[in-house]
Amino acid sequence: MPQKATRLTAAAAASVAALLALSACGGDSGSDATSDAKSKASASPSEPSPMTLADPKPADAKKVDSIKITEGKGKKAPSITLKDKPLSVSQTTRTVLDKGTGKTLPDDAYVEVDLAMFSGKDGKLIQGSETYSTAPIVLTLGNEGSLPGLVKSLKGQKIGAHGVAVMPPEDLFGEQGAPQFGVDGKDNLVLVYDVRGVLPDKAEGTAVPPKKGMPKVKFRADAPAEISTEGVTKPKKLVTEKLIEGKGEEIKKGDQVYASYTGVRLKDGTMFDSSFKKGGQPYPFVVGQPGTIEAWQKAVKGAHVGDRLVFVAPSKDGYGKQGSPDGSIKPNTDLVFVMDILAAN
């Protein structure tokens, strides 16, 4: 459970985290983890959403169509050749080179995507912007804090889609640019992308028989898990068990983890928070960085993507003698969580 809800951008993988995290901003404190993890933006019926791709202007579409893409071999990133330099467009414009055969991405999807960004001035790869040689990152299409050009370019696509888009400064880093990456406030960027998939909505792996003395859990796909704490002993230290053993990568320090969860009080089993309270969106947090209670940090250490964990946390690994900032968790309260680890990068 987060100590402070944090609105994150599209950043995740180490190679692009710094580049894509420039527009991150903090949310409000509180026990509701999803209060800022999901976009609250809404446009009036008479106005287009700022996160929706507009119909392309012919001049812009012609410029994007003229970009030559050379696909990389193996795990090598693609490269581009620009016909006209510098390249600029009046609005974010994309060309879909392969529509893909998978399902259409929901507007609030957590999308796994490979991408590479190039300078519109000379077509050179932007430092630290490509993921083809590492692993796909997770982009949050419903997050108003994300870089709008990325979101616009991917919304409405299908899994398996491949394309190219050009994004003007207002849909990227604004007038300030990103000088540490050689991007000024006037630069357009070229995005090459491949949509790999979407995050699963639950843990996927092999069921593990529940152990005696641990909370009894009844998982529900579209609602908070039912957790019975009857007969569970007050813990002296964090106790963690797997209910599902995933087959994904092991969680490491520095990874951004995407998890769904439900939390209850050990004393009486009453729920105080769940990612299913506000639409079921997974909650992102970074292992080894402030933002979540110690119990979460300890529980995911050594776990794998696809795991479903149940853990009993003594108050010292939760909110301790102070309780939660909003008062929903009283001082010295022991907690129980069920967590599905959906992705990490």
Side-chain angles (χ1 to χ4, degrees):
M1 173 172 176
Q3 293 173 319
K4 183 175 183 180
T6 305
R7 179 172 293 149
L8 300 176
T9 66
S15 63
V16 294
L19 178 63
L20 300 184
L22 294 179
S23 64
C25 57
D28 299 327
S29 297
S31 62
D32 184 356
T34 60
S35 60
D36 278 333
K38 186 177 179 182
S39 170
K40 299 174 184 176
S42 59
S44 66
S46 60
E47 298 178 356
S49 166
M51 302 297 281
T52 299
L53 198 66
D55 290 336
K57 296 181 179 179
D60 290 339
K62 184 177 180 180
K63 291 178 181 179
V64 178
D65 288 341
S66 72
I67 300 171
K68 180 182 177 182
I69 300 173
T70 302
E71 303 299 336
K73 295 181 179 180
K75 294 199 72 175
K76 188 176 180 180
S79 60
I80 66 169
T81 302
L82 300 181
K83 182 178 180 180
D84 299 313
K85 304 176 185 178
L87 175 65
S88 65
V89 293
S90 61
Q91 61 189 27
T92 294
T93 305
R94 77 178 178 211
T95 293
V96 180
L97 303 173
D98 185 339
K99 293 183 178 180
T101 58
K103 69 176 183 178
T104 301
L105 303 174
D107 282 348
D108 59 355
Y110 282 66
V111 183
E112 295 177 302
V113 58
D114 271 321
L115 57 81
M117 287 192 285
F118 304 84
S119 170
K121 292 186 294 187
D122 53 20
K124 291 183 178 180
L125 182 70
I126 299 298
Q127 174 190 349
S129 75
E130 67 89 10
T131 67
Y132 289 88
S133 62
T134 54
I137 63 167
V138 177
L139 301 180
T140 312
L141 298 189
N143 190 347
E144 65 181 2
S146 295
L147 300 175
L150 296 177
V151 175
K152 289 179 180 180
S153 299
L154 293 172
K155 273 195 171 182
Q157 302 271 23
K158 293 181 178 181
I159 294 175
H162 167 63
V164 58
V166 181
M167 303 171 286
E170 57 265 29
D171 274 354
L172 290 163
F173 306 110
E175 295 180 357
Q176 75 275 12
Q180 63 270 53
F181 297 103
V183 181
D184 65 32
K186 298 179 181 179
D187 289 345
N188 282 230
L189 291 190
V190 180
L191 168 72
V192 177
Y193 64 86
D194 283 88
V195 179
R196 304 300 189 190
V198 296
L199 262 61
D201 56 9
K202 62 181 179 180
E204 297 178 346
T206 304
V208 178
K211 293 192 176 182
K212 186 176 180 180
M214 291 295 288
K216 295 180 178 62
V217 177
K218 182 178 179 181
F219 182 81
R220 297 187 290 177
D222 55 357
E226 295 181 3
I227 305 172
S228 172
T229 61
E230 185 178 355
V232 179
T233 303
K234 181 180 177 66
K236 294 182 179 179
K237 62 179 182 179
L238 182 74
V239 181
T240 305
E241 299 290 351
K242 291 184 180 181
L243 298 176
I244 290 179
E245 185 170 4
K247 298 179 181 179
E249 65 182 270
E250 183 176 349
I251 307 301
K252 306 179 298 296
K253 184 177 181 180
D255 284 348
Q256 178 155 285
V257 174
Y258 294 80
S260 62
Y261 69 93
T262 297
V264 302
R265 298 170 181 83
L266 174 61
K267 182 179 179 180
D268 55 14
T270 57
M271 187 184 75
F272 59 86
D273 195 13
S274 176
S275 57
F276 294 97
K277 289 171 61 177
K278 296 269 186 177
Q281 296 297 327
Y283 185 81
F285 66 99
V286 179
V287 180
Q289 292 187 11
T292 61
I293 59 176
E294 190 66 19
W296 276 33
Q297 297 286 336
K298 291 180 177 180
V300 300
K301 185 178 180 180
H304 292 76
V305 173
D307 283 354
R308 175 171 297 156
L309 306 176
V310 56
F311 49 101
V312 184
S315 62
K316 65 180 181 179
D317 288 332
Y319 291 95
K321 298 178 180 179
Q322 293 76 32
S324 63
D326 65 354
S328 63
I329 305 298
K330 302 301 180 184
N332 302 312
T333 299
D334 300 322
L335 305 173
V336 175
F337 291 93
V338 172
M339 175 187 289
D340 280 15
I341 301 177
L342 306 176
N345 48 31

